[in-house]
Amino acid sequence: MPIRILSPDVASKIAAGEVVERPASVVKELVENSLDAGATQVAIEVQGGGVRLIRVVDNGIGIPPEEVDLAFERFATSKVATADDLEGISSLGFRGEALPSIAAVSEVTMVTRSKDELSGIFVNIKDGAILEKAKRGCPVGTTVTVRNLFRNVPARLKFLKSTATENGHISNLVAQYSLAFPEVRFTLLIDGRTAFRSTGSGNLREVLGSVYGLDVAKAMLMIEAKENADPMLPGVTGFVSPITLTRASRSYMSFFVNRRWVQNRMLTYALEEAYQGLLMVGRHPIAVINISLHPKELDVNVHPTKNEVRFRNERDIFSAIQKAVRNTLTVQAPMPTLDTLSGPPQPVTASQAERLPAFANSPEEAVTRTPIATPPQSTEPVAKSLPILRVVGQLANTYIIAEGPDGMYLIDQHAAHERVLFEKIRNERSRRAVEVQGLLQPVTVELTVSQQELLELQSEALSEYGFGIEHFGERTYLVRSVPAVLRGQNVAQSLVEVLDFLAEGEKGDRREEIAISLACHGAVRAGQALSHEEMRDLIRQLEQASQPRTCPHGRPTMIHLSSSQLEKGFGRR
Ligand code: ADP
Ligand code: MG
């Protein structure tokens, strides 16, 4: 075949194919025109998956009578005039292609009335030509009706999916525009049934409720808006899901650039980067991200469908999104940090010790306290506090040898440390000043049914001690923080062991036992070599404990050989 110029009919169908891929593309173009016309109400109606009928009714500015014909001409637009205008597009449409493209592959009627006119104009267009044009009474605004889409393009018709699939694309599209334009009231009628509606109140969280349901809408975190931001820098607003609210698919992330719905991998990547390490593999956030940019920073003229954009400075956008989202996640759902309130232990005088809370000082407390914390009855009454001890050395990497004013002390390093930690933890909890260790990477823990039951039962107590635990589905939990005493320990194992420790005994209040179990896990082990310094520290802390002579389980922390016992033993007396 020799080269020749295509007939207008063939050329327009080829061009239309780029714009109108499926029924949802028609809905998109018509809705964009309504929004560009400043409509506050957009009603969409479809029948037969959009193939039989698509109608979009708006209350926008309408088209003046003398311009109606032009609207259906290729490259006829009211939105740009010069090539320079392409540099700073702020409307959704600008190519002047939609109406002629739609008209090339369907039968279109339009009724429109601009606000200065007393009546409207009706036009009927078939195969791109105006068949009928007449005055008609109608409210200000525009109604476009598209019938028999693709009937003259059988190849395209064949490739359409089921009615349900096409309806799904249309619903999604309307939902996306409602998210981008919360101040516009959208309704979508599918085969006579209301499939979607938004109120047009301007409240994005409310639209989220219409799109994703109330529970999601309530849980979503509003992105903190930055004040006095540089207008040349990208602004990021919208909503993101907390890390506890995720989806298995990426289709719950919506991005709008200057209110244009765009699909862009960099944007998705930036968002997911902000959740890095916070979500389980294969889970994705829900998000509505509005990016506002100076129009000059953006090229929207990339593809006839206009849902691709190019950014002049991708890196700025990337970091703006990542920062805004990360900031929202940390500010509104704070990750536990080290509690600086509890500093290093200070020497405590006897009178101060009496004023320390929660050491079984009040009678009620003494009654409700489990017997574990009090010394076993069998031991002879012991002096409450310890004298000042001088560390001599370590025995078998297990015992500390110390000297006091009245003889020698052999101290079990694990039992002693347990006592110290137990009192510290218990004291901190009662002061609500528990030292918490946030985990950079949350740890997932699989629990058994009974462990899970215990966890749910004791969740409040566990959180008072600094455990940040979230249910992750089934029997999986996510540990985000632990009591600081467990620093450096295997988190999953420690939690399971605390639960197993709680499994023995009755249900009730188990705070004491939790403290015991934590102390046990955090304490130095027998067999661990300690420096002289470490031993001295431990003994200093033990001296300040309220009940230094027993571990929280009730076993002795030390054996005392008094000076007189020594003398007796060696036959000195
Ligand atoms: P574009 O949106 O790229 O300008 P279209 O083919 O979609 O091109 O529309 C052509 C012109 O028709 C628009 O520029 C606008 O002036 C007018 N128009 C189309 N739809 C509407 C509408 N719903 N309300 C008001 N004007 C409209
Ligand atoms: Mg348009």
Side-chain angles (χ1 to χ4, degrees):
M1 255 197 283
I3 297 175
R4 43 181 176 200
I5 299 199
L6 289 172
S7 74
D9 174 54
V10 178
S12 65
K13 279 183 187 165
I14 290 173
E18 294 187 314
V19 179
V20 188
E21 191 196 339
R22 62 190 335 149
S25 333
V26 173
V27 176
K28 174 182 184 288
E29 294 298 337
L30 296 182
V31 166
E32 286 191 353
N33 281 347
S34 297
L35 293 168
D36 279 344
T40 57
Q41 289 175 27
V42 181
I44 302 120
E45 183 187 346
V46 302
Q47 289 171 16
V51 174
R52 197 177 330 133
L53 177 130
I54 295 170
R55 175 176 292 138
V56 174
V57 184
D58 71 49
N59 64 349
I61 55 168
I63 305 173
E66 66 280 8
E67 291 181 13
V68 172
D69 297 20
L70 258 184
F72 289 91
E73 295 281 332
R74 184 159 294 280
F75 306 127
T77 178
S78 57
K79 301 167 191 176
V80 295
T82 67
D84 276 355
D85 291 348
L86 282 175
E87 294 278 302
I89 292 165
S90 57
S91 55
L92 295 170
F94 54 88
R95 298 172 63 99
E97 279 185 305
L99 289 181
S101 295
I102 294 165
V105 292
S106 67
E107 297 155 31
V108 178
T109 61
M110 177 195 266
V111 189
T112 185
R113 183 184 143 200
S114 67
K115 62 177 187 328
D116 307 324
E117 300 295 319
L118 293 172
S119 77
I121 296 276
F122 166 84
V123 281
N124 181 1
I125 290 156
K126 199 167 178 189
D127 292 327
I130 295 185
L131 289 185
E132 198 189 336
K133 186 171 168 186
K135 276 194 170 181
R136 185 175 284 187
C138 65
V140 172
T142 304
T143 298
V144 179
T145 308
V146 175
R147 290 190 174 86
N148 297 319
L149 181 63
F150 296 140
R151 198 167 58 184
N152 59 354
V153 198
R156 192 50 68 95
L157 203 53
K158 253 199 327 234
F159 278 97
L160 289 186
K161 301 278 192 281
S162 69
T163 303
T165 305
E166 297 305 331
N167 283 342
H169 283 289
I170 292 168
S171 303
N172 184 41
L173 188 113
V174 174
Q176 298 299 337
Y177 277 93
S178 72
L179 289 168
F181 290 80
E183 75 279 22
V184 175
R185 187 164 111 202
F186 287 89
T187 53
L188 171 62
L189 216 63
I190 296 181
D191 295 323
R193 185 180 55 86
T194 301
F196 177 82
R197 82 165 86 229
S198 68
T199 63
S201 70
N203 182 334
L204 179 52
R205 197 187 284 278
E206 209 174 285
V207 185
L208 276 165
S210 303
V211 176
Y212 294 131
L214 277 183
D215 288 346
V216 168
K218 267 190 216 154
M220 295 289 280
L221 310 173
M222 195 200 275
I223 293 174
E224 308 272 322
K226 266 233 275 325
E227 280 170 45
N228 55 43
D230 181 345
M232 289 311 279
L233 286 178
V236 178
T237 60
F239 283 88
V240 291
S241 58
I243 53 179
T244 45
L245 181 62
T246 60
R247 291 288 183 263
S249 125
R250 284 202 168 86
S251 56
Y252 293 81
M253 301 182 247
S254 307
F255 296 93
F256 305 99
V257 179
N258 292 350
R259 309 191 101 191
R260 179 187 305 281
W261 181 35
V262 298
Q263 270 116 352
N264 179 299
R265 285 181 58 188
M266 183 274 287
L267 299 178
T268 312
Y269 186 54
L271 173 63
E272 296 216 79
E273 270 291 294
Y275 284 83
Q276 228 265 308
L278 302 173
L279 303 186
M280 251 174 24
V281 175
R283 303 298 298 185
H284 307 282
I286 304 172
V288 175
I289 307 277
N290 289 307
I291 299 147
S292 53
L293 270 183
H294 192 279
K296 289 207 185 318
E297 293 293 301
L298 189 68
D299 183 3
V300 289
N301 193 13
V302 178
H303 189 270
T305 59
K306 299 165 286 171
N307 48 18
E308 262 178 57
V309 290
R310 292 218 182 97
F311 299 106
R312 192 180 297 237
N313 197 337
E314 287 217 338
R315 199 179 292 180
D316 278 3
I317 314 273
F318 185 96
S319 80
I321 293 176
Q322 206 199 18
K323 258 190 222 149
V325 175
R326 191 92 204 184
N327 184 42
T328 304
L329 291 176
T330 44
V331 168
Q332 299 192 34
M335 276 170 240
T337 49
L338 241 69
D339 186 345
T340 47
L341 274 179
S342 47
Q346 302 293 319
V348 181
T349 65
S351 62
Q352 278 176 324
E354 269 167 30
R355 275 188 266 114
L356 281 179
F359 287 167
N361 287 333
S362 65
E364 314 92 270
E365 226 185 327
V367 173
T368 52
R369 177 136 300 153
T370 62
I372 289 164
T374 52
Q377 296 310 300
S378 59
T379 52
E380 51 180 299
V382 287
K384 248 196 132 195
S385 60
L386 274 188
I388 304 295
L389 299 178
R390 182 178 71 85
V391 171
V392 176
Q394 193 181 22
L395 187 69
N397 283 344
T398 300
Y399 306 109
I400 298 165
I401 306 163
E403 180 190 2
D406 183 31
M408 189 193 97
Y409 293 78
L410 206 52
I411 294 156
D412 182 321
Q413 65 194 36
H414 175 70
H417 199 200
E418 268 187 317
R419 164 53 66 187
V420 166
L421 290 182
F422 172 71
E423 292 195 3
K424 173 178 147 69
I425 296 163
R426 199 178 54 171
N427 182 18
E428 283 178 355
R429 187 192 70 76
S430 70
R431 285 190 291 126
R432 306 221 165 258
V434 169
E435 205 184 332
V436 173
Q437 175 75 61
L439 304 176
L440 284 178
Q441 294 274 347
V443 174
T444 50
V445 188
E446 266 299 321
L447 299 180
T448 66
V449 176
S450 51
Q451 285 166 349
Q452 182 175 28
E453 205 189 347
L454 265 167
L455 180 79
E456 300 292 356
L457 219 60
Q458 301 295 334
S459 63
E460 198 187 319
L462 288 168
S463 81
E464 286 174 18
Y465 280 111
F467 277 108
I469 303 172
E470 280 156 19
H471 193 200
F472 215 84
E474 299 274 47
R475 299 205 302 274
T476 308
Y477 288 80
L478 209 58
V479 184
R480 303 200 167 277
S481 66
V482 295
V485 286
L486 293 183
R487 203 174 283 151
Q489 308 276 350
N490 180 323
V491 168
Q493 196 187 321
S494 302
L495 175 63
V496 164
E497 282 178 28
V498 169
L499 292 172
D500 287 348
F501 183 70
L502 293 175
E504 303 156 24
E506 57 309 275
K507 301 233 147 43
D509 186 342
R510 310 293 296 282
R511 284 176 172 77
E512 207 76 13
E513 282 102 312
I514 294 173
I516 291 170
S517 184
L518 290 177
C520 184
H521 277 97
V524 293
R525 304 285 133 99
Q528 197 172 322
L530 298 181
S531 69
H532 198 84
E533 191 83 39
E534 288 168 325
M535 290 188 281
R536 231 179 31 213
D537 268 3
L538 176 54
I539 298 306
R540 277 301 82 83
Q541 294 174 56
L542 189 65
E543 283 165 3
Q544 288 161 31
S546 71
Q547 300 189 24
R549 290 168 195 263
T550 54
C551 83
H553 303 280
R555 286 190 294 274
T557 54
M558 62 186 65
I559 294 170
H560 178 204
L561 270 177
S562 65
S563 307
S564 61
Q565 279 172 308
L566 285 170
E567 278 167 8
K568 232 188 257 166
F570 287 111
R572 286 180 172 270
R573 269 210 335 209

